[in-house]
Amino acid sequence: MKNQRILVAGGTGYIGSHTVVELQEAGYNVVIVDNLSNSNMEVIDGIEKITGVRPDFVQADCTDMPAMEKLFDSYPDIRGVINFAASKAVGESMEKPILYYRNNLNTLMNLLEQMAKHGTKGIVFSSSCTVYGEPDENPVTEAAPIKKATSPYGNTKQISEEIITEVISAGAPFKSVILRYFNPVGAHPSAEIGELPNGVPQNLLPYVTQAAMGIRKELSVFGDDYPTPDGSCIRDYINVVDLAKAHVIAVERMLEDKSDDKVEIFNLGTGNGVSVLELIDTFEKATGVTVPKKIVARRAGDIEKVWANPKHANEVLGWKAATPLADTMRSAWAWQQKLRERGIM
Ligand code: NAD
Ligand code: WQD
């Protein structure tokens, strides 16, 4: 059953590209749709180098309904969809809320409508631990309350989860697996694909690798006065290849009707809370490279601590984040070095 067709929306992006690799290695046929707003065609070469298979690629905007209609018409064998396509910069979403609501929600709604028309069995959706806000307790289970979103980006994830649930309870003929990622980091061990931040990185690890490379003068550690053991914020950093593998399991679960539930939600994290200072220390020890850094004031809106209870995914999906953090740090550094070799940054 593995040689079935999966549509990966946003498949040339960071998490999407790693997932396409895992899907192809598991024997699925992939068609990627991406508008290249935050990625580029070279990613396809990277995927081909790793897997020996060049995935089909359609350059189109998922908010363009006629283009989506044409895509589903040209690939009548699409059995499942994974939707990574979204704008994801929290700060930008505060400045351009309409762009975020339009892009993230119209993309999802267009895909859902086409799926219903074309008999697609299910959709895996990229959600986020951002839906939990500052949790009342850690580690966070899927039963933790959803907190009011603090950014339009975060709100698009909450609304998207509701749209999927409502469309399915209204009778749409497909299933969904909603995956709430914690903090995805690292790159494929081949260093053929990885994260390509646009401009000054907002996320921690890309900033760490760029500071280590000398592209940035120094990393600003946003606060060391939080009520945590070393005073810096705590997150659950999940290796991107481990994360990608969970999508393959989720797809198989929907396509093979392994669950009676039409909508399932899983946290994807390691279960380990790691502070900013611990992450930097792990990076330095794993790579032997020093990260120039200074402690600065807290960043507005930051969550103090959040990490996953991944028991539900461990037990129900049979999936576990397996990669040690030090290996993940080395993969991120190898990718940064590859970007330098290629003259990209
Ligand atoms: P990314 O920006 O690298 O990938 C998203 C891809 O979607 C890009 O290739 C972009 O060009 C494409 N895209 C955006 N809008 C599109 C549109 N309208 N039509 C077609 N293509 C479009 O982001 P990522 O880090 O790989 O994130 C993937 C998904 O996971 C997103 O939905 C994001 O919100 C979610 N997520 C990411 C993180 C994270 O920290 N990276 C955490 C939680 C959830
Ligand atoms: C991690 C930690 C920072 C940069 C964001 C989104 C969230 C989710 C993941 C998608 C924090 C600290 C960071 C720097 C630092 N995305 N930091 N110096 O804040 O957990 O979440 O990405 O859904 O929605 O908000 O991730 O990587 O930005 O920060 O000290 O230069 O690193 O303060 O404690 P975050 P992050």
Side-chain angles (χ1 to χ4, degrees), residues 90 128 153 183 202-204 220-222 233 235 299 302:
V90 175
S128 166
Y153 167 75
N183 288 58
Q202 304 301 306
N203 294 116
L204 179 59
S220 296
V221 174
F222 298 137
C233 292
R235 297 286 185 277
R299 179 171 72 176
D302 258 340

Side-chain angles (χ1 to χ4, degrees), residues 288-307:
V289 182
T290 304
V291 181
K293 63 172 189 295
K294 64 169 181 214
I295 310 287
V296 302
R298 293 179 179 195
R299 179 171 72 176
D302 258 340
I303 303 297
E304 177 186 308
K305 47 180 186 283
V306 58
W307 67 95

Side-chain angles (χ1 to χ4, degrees), residues 9-17 33-40 60-63 68 83-88 103-104 107 125-129 153 157 179-184 195-196 203:
T12 44
Y14 172 43
I15 306 168
S17 57
V33 59
D34 203 297
N35 64 0
L36 303 181
S37 58
N38 200 33
S39 54
N40 61 61
D61 195 312
C62 298
T63 64
M68 291 305 99
N83 180 22
F84 296 102
S87 303
K88 64 162 182 178
N103 196 42
N104 297 3
T107 286
F125 179 74
S126 301
S127 189
S128 166
C129 68
Y153 167 75
K157 292 299 171 192
L179 300 176
R180 292 178 178 158
Y181 314 151
F182 281 65
N183 288 58
E195 188 170 12
L196 205 58
N203 294 116

Side-chain angles (χ1 to χ4, degrees), residues 139-158:
V140 183
T141 71
E142 292 81 357
I146 301 298
K147 298 277 174 72
K148 185 175 162 41
T150 53
S151 70
Y153 167 75
N155 207 18
T156 67
K157 292 299 171 192
Q158 298 190 1

